[in-house]
């Protein structure tokens, strides 16, 4: 029931914005979504399953935003430097607006939040989406690798020579790590975009343009 699942996840996220996760009740989530409590348990199995599914959804939404920043800038002629800057800006805005994304990217889970183990858990779920949620959840290091590798693939067109690929990977990882450091310690007036541009010299990304 994809529609019911989405409604339940929306209701859980809204509840989390209002109270600590420990105070969020399954019956209230079901009522807010307009479905039965049994439907909630059929979809997620338990409150822990709901937490894992919610964290998985927010992780996927962040990575979808990374994809948009890399492949669909407002200016189609934007080069690699601008696309990496857009990715860093998205990372900052996503972490600012979404407490779960911030926790995922930094590894800092406050007592208000669910804190599911990042390793896979045994799953008997009949719902494919829940079986995926019960699998491994990304750590901060996983995000660095995922965004770096996707950036290299997109910006090089998938055809970089081995000697160029190593330099591309270094440049992309530098941009990702800089963005994550700004999430943990927000920059001053210059902002993350200026910081990324200042450390990514035009020559760093020239091979992609």
């Amino acid at each position: 029931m994809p529609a019911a699942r989405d409604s339940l996840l929306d209701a859980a996220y809204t509840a989390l914005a209002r109270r600590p996760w420990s105070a969020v009740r399954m019956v209230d989530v079901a009522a807010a979504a307009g479905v039965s409590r049994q439907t909630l348990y059929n979809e997620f199995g338990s409150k822990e399953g709901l937490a894992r599914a919610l964290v998985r959804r927010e992780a996927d939404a962040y990575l979808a935003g990374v994809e948009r920043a890399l492949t669909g800038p407002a200016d189609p002629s934007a080069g690699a430097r601008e696309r990496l800057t857009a990715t860093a800006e998205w990372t900052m805005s996503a972490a600012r607006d979404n407490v779960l994304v911030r926790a995922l990217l930094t590894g800092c889970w406050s007592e208000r939040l669910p804190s599911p183990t990042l390793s896979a858990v045994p799953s008997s779920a009949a719902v494919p989406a829940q079986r995926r949620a019960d699998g491994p959840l990304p750590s901060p290091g996983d995000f660095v690798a995922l965004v770096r590798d996707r950036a290299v693939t997109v910006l090089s067109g998938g055809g970089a020579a081995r000697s160029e690929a190593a330099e591309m990977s270094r440049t992309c990882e530098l941009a990702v790590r800089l963005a994550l450091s700004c999430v943990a310690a927000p920059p001053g007036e210059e902002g993350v975009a200026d910081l990324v541009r200042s450390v990514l010299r035009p020559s760093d990304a020239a091979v992609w343009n």
Side-chain angles (χ1 to χ4, degrees):
M1 300 176 64
R5 187 177 181 87
D6 287 341
S7 295
L8 285 163
L9 290 172
D10 288 343
Y13 188 86
T14 298
L16 179 60
R18 295 172 177 167
R19 61 183 71 93
W21 183 251
S22 60
V24 173
R25 301 193 309 163
M26 296 286 272
V27 64
D28 295 333
V29 171
V35 302
S36 69
R37 186 168 57 173
Q38 187 59 51
T39 296
L40 188 156
Y41 280 100
N42 289 344
E43 283 290 328
F44 304 103
S46 65
K47 188 176 180 182
E48 171 68 13
L50 175 61
R52 293 188 69 84
L54 184 58
V55 170
R56 178 78 260 178
R57 184 180 74 163
E58 303 314 309
D60 289 346
Y62 165 70
L63 292 172
V66 167
E67 185 75 10
R68 291 191 298 271
L70 289 170
T71 62
D75 179 3
S77 66
R81 195 166 177 235
E82 290 73 23
R83 291 170 189 250
L84 288 174
T85 299
T87 301
E89 290 181 311
W90 160 248
T91 295
M92 282 290 293
S93 66
R96 181 186 63 242
D97 297 339
N98 189 310
V99 293
L100 291 177
V101 170
R102 182 180 181 84
L104 281 162
L105 294 177
T106 63
C108 297
W109 297 81
S110 77
E111 294 181 355
R112 285 187 54 84
L113 302 178
S115 54
T117 175
L118 296 183
S119 58
V121 298
S123 180
S124 58
V127 179
Q130 188 58 36
R131 290 199 297 272
R132 180 169 180 265
D134 289 338
L137 297 171
S139 68
D142 292 332
F143 279 112
V144 170
L146 287 166
V147 177
R148 176 201 64 206
D149 293 348
R150 185 56 185 153
V152 170
T153 298
V154 170
L155 299 178
S156 70
R162 180 175 297 179
S163 60
E164 295 172 341
E167 181 62 17
M168 292 176 186
S169 181
R170 184 199 70 81
T171 300
C172 290
E173 182 161 336
L174 176 61
V176 175
R177 290 192 178 277
L178 180 57
L180 292 184
S181 72
C182 289
V183 169
E189 292 183 0
E190 61 184 345
V192 66
D194 288 340
L195 287 175
V196 171
R197 293 189 186 102
S198 71
V199 299
L200 295 182
R201 303 181 304 275
S203 58
D204 286 335
V207 69
W208 299 318
N209 297 319

